[in-house]
Amino acid sequence: MGSSITLVYNYVHSCQIYLWNHAASMRVHKSGHDKVMLGDLVYCKEDNDVSITSGIWILSAEAELISSIVTFFKRIGISSSDVGFKVSSRKVLQEVLTSYSISDESFGKVCIIIDKVG
């Protein structure tokens, strides 16, 4: 009797392993092993240890997550007048400010102003 239960557990475990390997293979096939995708867990060392490419990966993943949240809210009929959320990531803020041609030297002053307003 005990051996049949063990066989069932082994069968379930082997199915889980098969599904995990298939999902991992599809993910690598879709975007490669060196890109962060929505839902990936990312280990990030201290800011001074993060390479530039890792920082870009993390920013891309954060931006994709924010975009997914906004799309979800729009689809269920919730607008920006109903709900708001704050992003407290200096890297994301710095990228936004850079896109508006605000220099890195002014970044600290802009952060202080944003903190006072928000």
Side-chain angles (χ1 to χ4, degrees), residues 31-104:
S31 67
H33 68 282
D34 59 343
K35 294 182 183 171
V36 176
M37 293 177 56
L38 184 61
D40 285 351
L41 297 177
V42 178
Y43 173 72
C44 182
K45 298 179 182 179
E46 298 297 322
D47 286 342
N48 56 359
D49 292 339
V50 175
S51 67
I52 292 173
T53 55
S54 294
I56 291 170
W57 288 352
I58 293 166
L59 280 177
S60 176
E62 287 179 4
E64 190 173 354
L65 178 61
I66 292 167
S67 174
S68 296
I69 292 169
V70 170
T71 301
F72 169 74
F73 282 150
K74 285 181 180 178
R75 287 185 180 168
I76 63 172
I78 296 176
S79 68
S80 59
S81 61
D82 300 320
V83 69
F85 61 94
K86 295 182 180 181
V87 178
S88 61
S89 171
R90 293 180 68 88
K91 291 179 183 177
V92 172
L93 179 60
Q94 192 167 16
E95 285 296 316
V96 170
L97 295 176
T98 301
S99 70
Y100 285 101
S101 302
I102 296 175
S103 67
D104 289 340

Side-chain angles (χ1 to χ4, degrees), residues 18-31:
Y18 172 77
L19 292 173
W20 167 256
N21 287 337
H22 181 71
S25 296
M26 296 275 68
R27 186 235 180 269
V28 170
H29 179 72
K30 181 178 179 182
S31 67

